Amino acid sequence: AIVYTKIAGPNAKLFIIEPYSVSYKLASQNVYTNDLALVSTLYRKAASNRTGRGELLINLDDTSAALLAQEGSKASVPRLMER
């Protein structure tokens, strides 16, 4: 968040989308610690290029390997941690 805000300039608005609870908490602390609350909006949501509902599958070893699977699909990631 800090890097993007500095790159975009003083009038930038930062929208942070973080569905995973642990990462969301870290992002929230980062916004507060670095005094970015006035320029940042934080959402605990997942984003996709499709409409509808899905299931967030998260790899315990690497949370960047999360997958937003369509409802009813048989998608999986190794070491499923949170649904």
Side-chain angles (χ1 to χ4, degrees):
I2 299 166
V3 173
Y4 291 116
T5 303
K6 288 182 179 181
I7 291 171
N11 297 322
K13 183 75 175 161
L14 186 62
F15 297 92
I16 304 165
I17 301 169
E18 181 52 68
Y20 178 47
S21 59
V22 174
S23 298
Y24 177 87
K25 184 177 179 181
L26 290 172
S28 181
Q29 290 171 346
N30 185 16
V31 165
Y32 176 77
T33 300
N34 293 287
D35 199 26
L36 298 173
L38 294 177
V39 298
S40 302
T41 304
L42 188 59
Y43 299 94
R44 186 162 184 243
K45 302 282 182 192
S48 175
N49 63 341
R50 297 185 179 171
T51 59
R53 299 185 70 81
E55 184 174 24
L56 183 64
L57 307 174
I58 299 172
N59 181 318
L60 178 60
D61 296 322
D62 179 8
T63 59
S64 69
L67 172 69
L68 183 57
Q70 276 189 298
E71 208 168 37
S73 76
K74 298 186 187 294
S76 65
V77 292
R79 294 193 62 194
L80 183 65
M81 183 175 132
E82 181 178 296
R83 287 182 174 248

